[in-house]
Amino acid sequence: MFDHAPSSGLRHPRAALSSDAPAIDLNGAWRFRFSPDVHAPLDFADPSYDDSAWDTLPVPAHWPLHGYGRPAYTNVSYPFPIDPPHVPDENPTGDYRRVFEVPGGWDDAVLRFDGVESHARVWLNGHELGYTTGSRLAAEFTAGPYLVPGRNVLAVRVHQWSAASYLEDQDMWWLPGIFRDVTLTRSTADLFVRAEADGRLSFAGEGVLSLPELGVDGLRPRVEVTVPAEPWSAETPRLYDAVFTTTTETARLRVGFRTVAIEDGVLLVNGVPLKLRGVNRHEFHPDHGRAVPYETMRADVLLMKRHNVNAVRTSHYPPHPGFLDLCDELGLWVVDECDLETHGFGQVGWRRNPSDDPAWAAAYVERMRRMVERDKNHPSVIMWSLGNESGTGRNLGLMADWARERDPSRPLHYEGDVTCADTDVYSLMYATVAQVEAIGRGTEEPLDDPVLDARRRAMPFVHCEYAHAMGNGPGGLLEYQELYDAYPRLAGGFIWEWIDHGLRHPELGYAYGGDYGEPVHDSNFVIDGLVFPDRTPSPGLLDLKVIFAPVLITFPSPGEVAIASRYGFRDLSHLRFEAVVGGSATVVDVPAEGGTVKLPESGPFEEETWLTVRAVLAEDSAWAPAGHEVAWGQVCVAPSGDVSGSSEGAGATADALGGGEFDAVSGRLTRLFGVEVEGPRLEVWRAPIDNERFGGLDWHWRTMGLHRLTHRVDDVERAAGRLVVRTRVAPAAADLALRTTYTWTGGPAGLQLEVHVIPEGDWPHPIPRLGVAMALPGGFDRVTWFGRGPGEAYPDTGFAARVGTWSATVDELQTPYVYPQENGHRAGVRWAELTDASGEGLRVSGAFGLTARRWTTADLERARHLTDLTPGDRVHLNLDLAHHGVGSAACGPGVLPRYELRAQEATLVLRFARVSNRDRRP
């Protein structure tokens, strides 16, 4: 446990196969004893030990999720002293016992653990079989000689911390336990199939192989045949059922024919340049941690496919083998990553990092070996990754050498060494748009070693992590994708990451780092996914679907639509194209190769009208039904007209005009169409998003005092039908200010407000937003608007928002980010109506962004969990001229300059009108 040896007593690793050999599923209720340290006696390994006083614990499971100990989250920091290979005596330990029945004749049985964190010592009927580390790696022990007919007792001691924990610092919850399947099996079969895109087929192993559909019957080892196979790809995942027969068993597997190569710096599959539109995926479930049910794995793959994701990097360890089966079946490219990360050594200058310590060599190579041998037959696996964020060193080279010798058919990936000395692809995390473009052009900064530099320049580039999807974001997806599409050397990349790792909590909703009292933690940095913990898509995933769409729909000239395919392995014949306008849809005839075609005639229209062209599945597929939308594009076919709408007429006096009533002294609006209101007044603050809190911009904003602005009225000018209020908005302790003039104009159609802003002083940083805030009675909780929707949008996000008329309740406008922050902004709004249950309310028109909430910005900013937000008796409304972008600075680049919001002279014009049942628009 406290030395470098990775295991003892393990059998040679082999492929995960489905066999007809007898097997006993040992999952279920086990007896369990928890100890807070390593000093519990070992007497429980005796088969006669009485465990009747012990608790029961399900297997697979993590014991902290069942009340033993507590979960702990760190991103980089080790939660124990860095003193390799030692760990503290205060080491949570779980003792497991399982009694099971076995018939006679099982002398050849094998005991298999698919995943135990982090160190498991195993006894069978009192005989110690050995121990295993490598939490996400399969471990098999020879069990047959120690089995007896009838009652057998399996005992396992699991330590949370071990020497192996230094190799498993993977930005996730530390969750010990037997969390994958346990099986007693008589299967020992192993084979390595090589199936190339040109139909060449061979295998290594002891037995014979048959593929009935291809006429292959009884193929012997190391004999090559050529068959008329259709190639496998993520777009066309063609599989062939295979039967592998040995003298003792028959195993079944599914074979896909495909070839991975690198030519002239381009990553190819089946001779076609590959563009990875991928995500990083940790295994996670809000109730079960990494003990993910198969149904959830399948739901993940279906959700990825339906959102145009075509690739997965298994960050940062091999997944459950069932997940790779699903990737084979449904079609995803996979970068299979070894169970290795030593990131915490970076906090001590990489001193004593195991990657360059010969004492750890066997542990490194064994981890690579166990991954490759288990997953070698999956066509979806197109690349092996040595691990993640483990610095540099000789042991990584040993892993690479072993993998190349064992499987030369797949390239090797590792991001942590910029020289790429041990890899076949060039990889970086969170490179800026400018850096990625330079790599695409081949003009990146050279390495000091000209030989290594020339070698790296001949490699394709894989952006293994980019666009950190934490909280509100990620922003800037489009610019990256445009570069990946433009340069052959750029093979695409993987968004960080798939899911928020929020553990379901009875009081907090979803918990993150620190919620369990951990002394060392990284707060909500584990909440960084494209789907929420319950797997509801976030706005980021909806955006990604548009950015990753395999079909581009544009409108080069009036009356025409251009359809361009980004598929690499199929044409467009499986899609149906529809033009939708005015509530009716017309099929558009598009050639299988795409092209520019005429649109159906439409109009004329009295109002602003947009035409949407949709690409949908023409027939049911394995991952979505017919009619599923794959891509869309929009074009305006009628310009905007007068959208001010009707309103109640009103007199025009100094203190009451156009339906508005104003304070006689301050000029403040007090009532609007008889309804008590607060504001509107200038607002530049927003509840900081994760990218601003972790990226440092929040600190700059607070230093500038933007969260505590004061408002001073300098002048109120009254005239018939007009009211002008001049103010100065500024923070204490600063000479920055925003000279703000509110000009109110009344008339029979309602009330118009013009807000004119002139900044004073030197504004060193962008500002969060620019607009006005006001509050309405809480009954105005129904919102209908014409603009972009139905979801939120910010300057560098919102690609999924299309122009139309949308409706939602105020509650439905909120995006439930696990850590509360700015959210829910609807962009490009022309008009919005806020009404009560009777249909009475307020209409706002102009050109603005809309946010409506039942709590204030200050309430949102103070909240740490969604349960902290308590709805009040007012609807708090923001009507914004502009917002700052969201970027990806929580772990990556900030907002691109074009999406920054700088303090400069600006004008916002809004029109307010009354809405009632008798005059609201149809």
Side-chain angles (χ1 to χ4, degrees):
M1 182 174 64
F2 303 123
D3 61 26
H4 307 87
S7 61
S8 174
L10 290 192
R11 294 171 59 89
H12 294 299
R14 63 190 180 105
L17 297 170
S18 174
S19 171
D20 67 353
I24 298 174
D25 180 356
L26 295 179
N27 293 340
W30 289 48
R31 289 291 187 176
F32 180 75
R33 178 180 67 184
F34 175 75
S35 303
D37 55 39
V38 298
H39 300 303
L42 288 172
D43 52 355
F44 77 101
D46 190 319
S48 63
Y49 180 84
D50 182 6
D51 61 14
S52 60
W54 286 21
D55 297 334
T56 59
L57 183 74
V59 170
H62 301 282
W63 72 63
L65 302 184
H66 291 263
Y68 305 97
R70 58 190 180 184
Y73 165 64
T74 62
N75 171 26
V76 177
S77 302
Y78 288 109
F80 46 79
I82 300 177
D83 182 26
H86 306 290
V87 293
D89 287 348
E90 292 79 16
N91 186 351
T93 298
D95 292 330
Y96 294 77
R97 296 183 94 245
R98 178 74 153 84
V99 176
F100 59 95
E101 298 284 329
V102 173
W106 279 58
D107 295 347
D108 54 354
V110 172
L111 179 64
R112 182 181 182 92
F113 293 86
D114 279 306
V116 186
E117 184 175 330
S118 70
H119 181 288
R121 189 175 174 188
V122 183
W123 294 264
L124 179 59
N125 293 328
H127 178 85
E128 185 168 359
L129 300 183
Y131 67 85
T132 178
T133 65
S135 299
R136 270 66 62 177
L137 300 165
E140 289 189 332
F141 298 92
T142 297
Y146 314 106
L147 291 170
V148 296
R151 182 181 184 271
N152 289 263
V153 179
L154 177 61
V156 183
R157 168 161 287 185
V158 178
H159 296 290
Q160 175 161 10
W161 312 124
S162 66
S165 300
Y166 286 103
L167 309 184
E168 297 178 0
D169 185 24
Q170 290 138 318
D171 183 13
M172 60 187 178
W173 293 99
W174 299 88
L175 292 172
I178 304 174
F179 69 95
R180 288 186 186 160
D181 303 314
V182 183
T183 310
L184 185 71
T185 178
R186 296 181 64 184
S187 171
T188 57
D190 187 26
L191 82 163
F192 190 177
V193 176
R194 299 183 185 272
E196 303 292 331
D198 60 5
R200 286 180 294 153
L201 173 69
S202 63
F203 79 97
E206 298 300 321
V208 295
L209 183 68
S210 299
L211 279 74
E213 188 176 353
L214 294 173
V216 177
D217 184 18
L219 181 67
R220 297 197 170 277
R222 293 169 290 280
V223 174
E224 183 176 279
V225 296
T226 300
V227 295
E230 300 173 35
W232 185 97
S233 74
E235 295 171 9
T236 55
R238 183 67 163 94
L239 294 172
Y240 294 89
D241 291 328
V243 180
F244 178 59
T245 306
T246 73
T247 57
T248 58
E249 63 183 292
T250 297
R252 298 186 180 275
L253 67 157
R254 306 185 79 183
V255 174
F257 289 76
R258 61 102 187 94
T259 302
V260 186
I262 295 172
E263 296 180 8
D264 299 325
V266 178
L267 181 63
L268 305 174
V269 174
N270 304 340
V272 176
L274 183 59
K275 296 295 183 180
L276 300 165
R277 296 188 280 272
V279 296
N280 285 273
R281 176 188 177 268
H282 267 289
E283 291 186 308
F284 183 77
H285 188 283
D287 300 307
H288 308 302
R290 284 184 288 282
V292 181
Y294 177 82
E295 295 76 15
T296 303
M297 298 179 212
R298 187 174 186 87
D300 274 347
V301 176
L302 292 175
L303 202 55
M304 290 174 188
K305 294 287 290 186
R306 291 169 184 172
H307 289 83
N308 295 327
V309 171
N310 74 1
V312 173
R313 175 176 174 233
T314 68
S315 52
H316 298 292
Y317 43 81
H320 189 287
F323 180 78
L324 296 180
D325 290 337
L326 289 164
C327 294
D328 293 343
E329 173 192 341
L330 296 170
L332 288 172
W333 310 110
V334 175
V335 175
D336 201 358
E337 191 149 86
C338 194
D339 193 3
L340 174 66
E341 181 170 335
T342 66
H343 202 172
F345 285 90
Q347 295 185 328
V348 293
W350 296 104
R351 292 187 299 275
R352 304 177 70 187
N353 182 22
S355 293
D356 201 38
D357 183 344
W360 294 87
Y364 273 59
V365 174
E366 185 190 80
R367 285 171 181 258
M368 194 71 185
R369 183 184 181 198
R370 286 161 70 181
M371 175 183 70
V372 170
E373 295 293 357
R374 192 197 73 169
D375 298 342
K376 59 197 173 190
N377 293 317
H378 288 284
S380 58
V381 176
I382 58 166
M383 201 178 301
W384 303 117
S385 177
L386 303 181
N388 186 66
E389 293 176 319
S390 296
T392 60
R394 70 196 78 182
N395 294 334
L396 294 164
L398 293 174
M399 295 171 75
D401 291 344
W402 182 90
R404 283 200 180 92
E405 181 177 354
R406 179 60 173 147
D407 179 23
S409 71
R410 292 176 173 101
L412 297 182
H413 166 274
Y414 177 67
E415 177 272 340
D417 184 356
V418 295
T419 71
C420 301
D422 300 313
T423 68
D424 301 305
V425 298
Y426 179 21
S427 184
L428 291 176
M429 292 180 180
Y430 307 107
T432 66
V433 168
Q435 287 175 305
V436 172
E437 183 169 17
I439 294 168
R441 293 178 180 273
T443 58
E444 69 268 28
E445 289 292 320
L447 296 170
D448 293 337
D449 185 324
V451 175
L452 286 175
D453 184 65
R455 181 175 178 273
R456 194 181 72 174
R457 288 181 189 276
M459 293 179 176
F461 176 74
V462 174
H463 207 172
C464 68
E465 293 181 23
Y466 77 104
H468 192 259
M470 186 176 184
N472 187 339
L477 293 173
L478 177 62
E479 286 74 14
Y480 283 114
Q481 192 60 48
E482 288 176 337
L483 291 175
Y484 302 150
D485 291 341
Y487 295 101
R489 185 187 184 192
L490 303 181
F494 300 87
I495 304 291
W496 186 267
E497 66 159 309
W498 176 241
I499 190 168
D500 288 342
H501 300 203
L503 290 171
R504 203 180 309 275
H505 192 283
E507 298 172 358
L508 303 176
Y510 292 111
Y512 49 76
D515 285 337
Y516 295 97
E518 310 101 292
V520 177
H521 66 84
D522 284 293
S523 186
N524 68 311
F525 209 72
V526 76
I527 306 296
D528 51 6
L530 291 163
V531 297
F532 297 124
D534 64 357
R535 285 175 162 76
T536 300
S538 76
L541 181 59
L542 301 181
D543 278 358
L544 195 71
K545 178 180 178 179
V546 177
I547 298 300
F548 279 1
V551 181
L552 295 181
I553 302 173
T554 57
F555 303 88
S557 61
E560 291 186 328
V561 60
I563 309 295
S565 174
R566 292 200 294 185
Y567 288 109
F569 303 88
R570 68 188 314 178
D571 60 25
L572 302 178
S573 59
H574 66 293
L575 299 176
R576 183 178 73 251
F577 292 85
E578 302 173 345
V580 183
V581 63
S584 62
T586 304
V587 173
V588 180
D589 187 16
V590 175
E593 68 277 7
T596 300
V597 299
K598 291 288 186 182
L599 287 167
E601 293 186 4
S602 58
F605 301 99
E606 296 180 359
E607 299 176 327
E608 180 180 350
T609 305
W610 288 68
L611 179 145
T612 304
V613 174
R614 305 171 65 234
V616 302
L617 291 181
E619 298 177 349
D620 290 347
S621 76
W623 48 270
H628 168 79
E629 185 177 271
V630 173
W632 60 272
Q634 269 195 323
V635 65
C636 183
V637 294
S640 59
D642 179 14
V643 295
S644 60
S646 61
S647 67
E648 296 287 325
T653 67
D655 299 325
L657 55 126
E661 300 176 30
F662 298 83
D663 180 78
V665 177
S666 67
R668 175 177 57 87
L669 180 68
T670 58
R671 298 180 73 82
L672 187 57
F673 310 117
V675 175
E676 183 179 348
V677 299
E678 301 165 33
R681 71 174 187 174
L682 188 74
E683 177 69 274
V684 301
W685 183 248
R686 69 186 187 194
I689 65 173
D690 289 325
N691 288 325
E692 292 151 2
R693 293 191 308 112
F694 286 90
L697 190 54
D698 177 37
W699 183 86
H700 289 302
W701 286 346
R702 293 180 188 278
T703 301
M704 293 166 65
L706 300 187
H707 62 307
R708 49 179 175 81
L709 295 178
T710 61
H711 298 252
R712 185 186 76 208
V713 176
D714 289 340
D715 180 61
V716 179
E717 176 186 326
R718 297 174 175 83
R722 189 167 179 267
L723 177 67
V724 181
V725 182
R726 298 181 178 87
T727 69
R728 188 176 190 270
V729 182
D735 61 356
L736 302 176
L738 296 165
R739 289 283 183 181
T740 307
T741 301
Y742 305 88
T743 301
W744 295 94
T745 305
L751 186 64
Q752 176 173 295
L753 169 63
E754 178 183 291
V755 183
H756 186 66
V757 180
I758 301 175
E760 292 181 351
D762 181 15
W763 292 73
H765 302 287
I767 59 176
R769 74 179 343 140
L770 183 65
V772 295
M774 59 189 302
L776 305 175
F780 290 5
D781 62 351
R782 292 159 174 80
V783 185
T784 300
W785 74 99
F786 180 77
R788 295 173 62 198
E792 70 183 26
Y794 291 83
D796 52 352
T797 69
F799 302 102
R802 61 190 87 184
V803 179
T805 301
W806 312 98
S807 293
T809 66
V810 168
D811 292 338
E812 290 168 344
L813 292 176
Q814 314 312 305
T815 303
Y817 294 115
V818 172
Y819 190 102
Q821 55 199 274
E822 165 62 34
N823 73 89
H825 176 258
R826 268 57 181 185
V829 178
R830 283 69 151 170
W831 58 261
E833 295 176 349
L834 290 94
T835 57
D836 60 18
S838 69
E840 299 291 322
L842 172 70
R843 180 185 179 91
V844 187
S845 57
F848 58 96
L850 169 71
T851 308
R853 303 190 179 100
R854 291 188 176 278
W855 36 78
T856 67
T857 296
D859 293 334
L860 185 60
E861 180 184 354
R862 284 191 294 267
R864 296 296 175 263
H865 295 86
L866 291 173
T867 51
D868 296 334
L869 292 169
T870 303
D873 60 358
R874 308 288 278 172
V875 169
H876 298 275
L877 192 64
N878 284 90
L879 306 170
D880 294 313
L881 179 64
H883 261 267
H884 186 64
V886 300
S888 189
C891 188
V895 175
L896 290 170
R898 73 192 72 171
Y899 302 122
E900 291 181 343
L901 177 58
R902 292 287 173 174
Q904 58 188 6
E905 185 172 359
T907 301
L908 170 65
V909 178
L910 301 168
R911 295 184 296 278
F912 298 91
R914 182 175 178 270
V915 171
S916 69
N917 278 325
R918 51 193 168 84
D919 61 16
R920 64 180 291 123
R921 302 171 61 87

